[in-house]
Amino acid sequence: MALLILGHPTYERSLANRQVVEHVQNSAMNLEIRHIQQLYPDYRINAREEQNALLRHQTVVFQYPFYWYNMPAILKHWFDVVFTYGFAYGQGGDKLKGKNFMASFTIGGPQESYTTLGKNHFRVYEYCKNLEQTAYFAQMNYIEPFYFHGTSLHAGYTEQDVVREARKHAQKLVTRLANLP
């Protein structure tokens, strides 16, 4: 059983992330989903409850839209509150040791804009170093981020394009999760 931490502040208006989550939810995968914006609209995250959810699972997937080269504020706050000293790191902080850590996110713009000469100048993996270091610091197994581009209708993608790509991404995510130890 995997845990999916959904960190989308406007999930009800999402097209791509909603398609991914619904597809994964409707798969045969045994999955617990924690929609943190819905659970904690006031940002008062219950650390103990979230830590207990982490302890129940071998694999943790963080699903979110890529905002300003990072994760949404609610998800960053979740990490700050949940990955605490004595739990995720420090003395006695080995509770997540050996668990799988995987980010699954959507990117509004095209892939070619994430190159040295592209609009965003850096490749996506370069923006993910904080995720990698967080996983290593918590002694987790870092799995390369899983993402896809072209999810913004404002960037000229159609709803049909986004839905099609989101479903493909979701199916690949299910396959990847099924193949993890």
Side-chain angles (χ1 to χ4, degrees), residues 7 28 36 95 124 137 140 149 161 166:
I36 58 176
K95 309 303 184 283
V124 173
F137 201 65
M140 298 177 80
H149 295 268
D161 293 336

Side-chain angles (χ1 to χ4, degrees), residues 4-167:
L4 188 142
I5 303 295
L6 175 58
H8 198 306
T10 57
Y11 181 71
E12 62 284 345
R13 293 193 324 242
S14 170
L15 183 57
N17 279 272
R18 198 174 65 238
Q19 286 293 318
V20 170
V21 171
E22 287 174 2
H23 185 83
V24 173
Q25 200 170 24
N26 293 327
S27 73
M29 171 126 326
N30 191 359
L31 185 72
E32 178 182 352
I33 298 174
R34 299 194 59 79
H35 183 342
I36 58 176
Q37 184 71 49
Q38 193 175 66
L39 289 169
Y40 309 108
D42 58 0
Y43 279 57
R44 291 184 174 172
I45 294 170
N46 182 327
R48 172 107 22 203
E49 191 170 320
E50 296 305 309
Q51 289 169 346
N52 286 334
L54 287 166
L55 293 173
R56 288 192 297 268
H57 304 280
Q58 175 58 29
T59 299
V60 183
V61 178
F62 300 95
Q63 180 68 47
Y64 58 94
F66 197 59
Y67 277 8
W68 287 103
Y69 314 107
N70 212 323
M71 63 185 71
I74 185 80
L75 186 53
K76 172 60 172 89
H77 181 60
W78 183 93
F79 275 103
D80 292 344
V81 170
V82 177
F83 275 48
T84 57
Y85 182 88
F87 178 77
Y89 69 96
Q91 186 175 358
D94 61 352
K95 309 303 184 283
L96 301 175
K97 184 177 182 175
K99 292 183 181 285
N100 298 320
F101 180 113
M102 186 169 85
S104 170
F105 52 88
T106 59
I107 302 172
Q111 184 174 352
E112 58 271 9
S113 67
Y114 288 89
T115 62
T116 303
L117 299 177
K119 182 171 127 181
N120 297 302
H121 304 292
F122 300 98
R123 289 167 256 358
V124 173
Y125 79 88
E126 294 177 84
Y127 293 111
C128 296
K129 290 297 182 185
N130 60 324
L131 298 171
E132 187 172 8
Q133 182 56 33
T134 298
Y136 292 148
F137 201 65
Q139 303 176 65
M140 298 177 80
N141 300 321
Y142 179 71
I143 298 165
E144 289 295 320
F146 196 62
Y147 56 89
F148 71 103
H149 295 268
T151 64
S152 173
L153 300 179
H154 300 294
Y157 299 98
T158 67
E159 283 191 28
Q160 294 80 14
D161 293 336
V162 174
V163 168
R164 182 183 62 251
E165 294 305 312
R167 288 181 180 162

